[in-house]
Amino acid sequence: MNLDKVIEVSILFDFYKELLTEKQREVINFYYNEDYSLGEISENLNVSRQGIYDTLKRAEKILQDYEKKLQLVKKFNERNKYIEDIYKELVNIKKEIKSGKDCTILVPKIENLEEICRELLG
Amino acid sequence: MNLDKVIEVSILFDFYKELLTEKQREVINFYYNEDYSLGEISENLNVSRQGIYDTLKRAEKILQDYEKKLQLVKKFNERNKYIEDIYKELVNIKKEIKSGKDCTILVPKIENLEEICRELLG
């Protein structure tokens, strides 16, 4: 199984699973989170292998279509990059304070973080 | 028109409009963003007032149903509260630096902000 595909579907599933049917959720969960084969899921759920395959492909398509429209994963990742930037800069600022330098040099850095927060708040 | 309702639907519309049909988007936009009356929309689109009313109610219900399932607005607001907290604390920290106090007292405050960032990053 292609690892990028596994990661892609698992993330989409996290965001959009509530929009799938119970059956679609079950198949995606078995296949992508529990690493069952199509044959194993087929035995488990007493549905033909082809039936499981069709449910899986249909569910993947639904998840991808919702992401195309809502772009939740994309937006979430973009916002997280800003929060990572804030985090890294806080770690730097803490280091500089501990090094005992004149703290007034930190003011522009803090103002930069304030600006990132304002952008995130829109 | 009830202001809370206007705000609620406008926010839901921002998040989920891509999941509505073109017609539903048009009616919601006229009614909630452009402040047209049902009668005015009816004339504009050459559809009966009852037809516009039905489209509006159906579109509102779709938006509310998606929010019940995905809770985007709720989660977005929760995350924004954390970012507001970070912002306010940065403003405080800047003030304290400018006041010329010993900056080492700021270390626990910065560590608290780091913790909030880690939680946001999950």
Side-chain angles (χ1 to χ4, degrees):
Chain A
M1 207 159 34
N2 175 320
L3 187 61
D4 284 346
K5 180 71 185 286
V6 176
I7 293 173
E8 182 210 339
V9 177
S10 299
I11 293 174
L12 291 174
F13 186 64
D14 263 0
F15 278 82
Y16 300 113
K17 60 170 165 282
E18 296 306 324
L19 301 174
L20 298 177
T21 65
E22 182 61 38
K23 170 71 87 198
Q24 288 166 340
R25 272 202 290 272
E26 205 172 17
V27 172
I28 288 257
N29 193 45
F30 271 134
Y31 193 73
Y32 284 102
N33 296 338
E34 306 289 336
D35 200 29
Y36 281 41
S37 70
L38 291 175
E40 287 166 336
I41 302 172
S42 159
E43 272 181 39
N44 245 297
L45 301 182
N46 207 19
V47 175
S48 72
R49 195 178 177 288
Q50 183 64 42
I52 297 297
Y53 179 82
D54 292 344
T55 301
L56 190 67
K57 290 299 137 186
R58 171 105 186 93
E60 288 173 9
K61 173 92 170 52
I62 291 171
L63 295 176
Q64 286 160 343
D65 285 350
Y66 276 115
E67 174 62 11
K68 255 182 225 152
K69 286 182 178 167
L70 295 179
Q71 307 206 293
L72 290 192
V73 177
K74 186 167 170 263
K75 287 177 194 165
F76 186 82
N77 287 339
E78 284 169 359
R79 290 177 70 83
N80 266 9
K81 260 185 220 121
Y82 283 112
I83 293 166
E84 271 174 32
D85 287 347
I86 293 175
Y87 179 78
K88 284 181 199 158
E89 188 67 341
L90 286 168
V91 171
N92 273 334
I93 288 172
K94 191 173 64 175
K95 251 188 223 160
E96 299 221 39
I97 289 177
K98 284 185 170 175
S99 78
K101 274 189 234 162
D102 173 10
C103 287
T104 53
I105 59 163
L106 298 175
V107 170
K109 288 183 183 185
I110 287 171
E111 282 170 350
N112 183 38
L113 294 184
E114 287 173 12
E115 179 59 31
I116 296 174
C117 288
R118 275 195 299 267
E119 268 180 44
L120 282 169
L121 292 168
Chain B
M1 207 158 34
N2 175 320
L3 187 61
D4 285 346
K5 180 72 184 288
V6 176
I7 293 172
E8 183 211 340
V9 177
S10 298
I11 293 174
L12 291 174
F13 186 64
D14 263 0
F15 278 81
Y16 300 113
K17 61 170 164 281
E18 296 306 324
L19 301 174
L20 298 178
T21 64
E22 181 61 37
K23 171 71 86 197
Q24 289 165 340
R25 272 202 290 272
E26 207 172 17
V27 172
I28 288 257
N29 193 45
F30 272 134
Y31 193 74
Y32 284 103
N33 296 337
E34 307 288 337
D35 200 28
Y36 280 44
S37 70
L38 291 175
E40 287 167 333
I41 304 172
S42 158
E43 271 181 39
N44 247 296
L45 300 182
N46 206 19
V47 176
S48 71
R49 195 179 176 287
Q50 183 64 41
I52 297 297
Y53 179 82
D54 293 343
T55 301
L56 191 67
K57 289 300 135 185
R58 171 105 188 93
E60 288 173 8
K61 172 93 172 52
I62 291 171
L63 295 176
Q64 286 160 343
D65 285 349
Y66 275 114
E67 175 62 10
K68 253 182 226 152
K69 286 183 178 168
L70 294 179
Q71 307 205 292
L72 290 192
V73 177
K74 185 168 172 262
K75 287 177 193 166
F76 186 83
N77 287 340
E78 283 169 359
R79 289 177 69 84
N80 267 9
K81 262 186 218 121
Y82 282 112
I83 294 166
E84 271 173 31
D85 287 346
I86 293 174
Y87 179 78
K88 284 181 199 155
E89 188 67 340
L90 286 167
V91 171
N92 273 333
I93 288 172
K94 191 172 65 174
K95 252 188 224 160
E96 299 223 37
I97 290 177
K98 285 185 169 175
S99 78
K101 273 188 234 163
D102 174 13
C103 288
T104 55
I105 60 162
L106 298 176
V107 171
K109 290 184 181 184
I110 288 171
E111 282 170 350
N112 183 37
L113 294 184
E114 286 173 12
E115 179 59 29
I116 297 175
C117 287
R118 275 195 299 267
E119 268 180 43
L120 282 169
L121 292 168

